[in-house]
Amino acid sequence: MRTSISKQQATIVAATLPSILARRQQFEAAMAGHMARRGPFDPAKHRYQVTAASIIDMLLDHAGGIAEDGGIAIIPHHGQRHQRMAIEGDHYSAFGDGLAPILRDVIPAEASPEAIAAWGDAFWAITRSVMADAMRLAA
């Protein structure tokens, strides 16, 4: 289970993070729409909005703390919060499926194939770290 990204990917994530943060509302709205269409939700309950926002919080908080060597720092409250919200693998998968096209829409000038790959790998490394930490705390 890989819970880190390469140094090159960490550099790309750090370089593109400010653009994503500047467009966070657009990113969140696009991801909520994607999750409503593709996620494992009952759209009538609108849970996709809070789930998308919570996963975005996790991604951006951790992305800001990725070490130069690509290491992922543990921020425990995300795993605990996701457990309480019953965010599971299907939710992360739906989010991950929408990440590349949404990044292309939100930061088109910076959404090179390398940046898309870096963010995808970062998302999955962060997700694995958060899920592993939540399982450790639950044991």
Side-chain angles (χ1 to χ4, degrees):
M1 175 170 69
R2 191 168 152 216
T3 56
S4 65
I5 59 174
S6 73
K7 184 175 182 173
Q8 179 182 5
Q9 289 176 317
T11 299
I12 292 169
V13 168
T16 55
L17 180 59
S19 295
I20 294 171
L21 291 172
R23 295 168 184 85
R24 182 192 170 108
Q25 288 181 328
Q26 181 184 355
F27 182 47
E28 197 168 309
M31 187 57 79
H34 169 78
M35 298 287 280
R37 292 185 304 278
R38 306 271 166 95
F41 300 107
D42 173 357
K45 295 182 180 178
H46 300 286
R47 185 164 169 252
Y48 55 88
Q49 293 168 324
V50 294
T51 299
S54 184
I55 296 173
I56 289 170
D57 286 343
M58 174 196 75
L59 176 61
L60 298 180
D61 285 354
H62 282 81
I66 291 176
E68 284 185 22
D69 67 357
I72 307 295
I74 297 298
I75 303 174
H77 71 272
H78 289 294
Q80 295 163 357
R81 181 177 182 207
H82 288 195
Q83 276 190 321
R84 283 191 307 274
M85 294 175 65
I87 296 175
E88 299 175 339
D90 288 349
H91 302 108
Y92 296 117
S93 291
F95 187 98
D97 289 345
L99 189 57
I102 289 169
L103 287 174
R104 284 187 202 102
D105 287 344
V106 173
I107 57 165
E110 296 176 81
S112 66
E114 295 80 15
I116 298 295
W119 276 98
D121 286 354
F123 169 70
W124 287 112
I126 291 165
T127 298
R128 286 184 197 103
S129 293
V130 167
M131 291 175 73
D133 189 57
M135 289 188 325
R136 181 188 58 77
L137 291 172

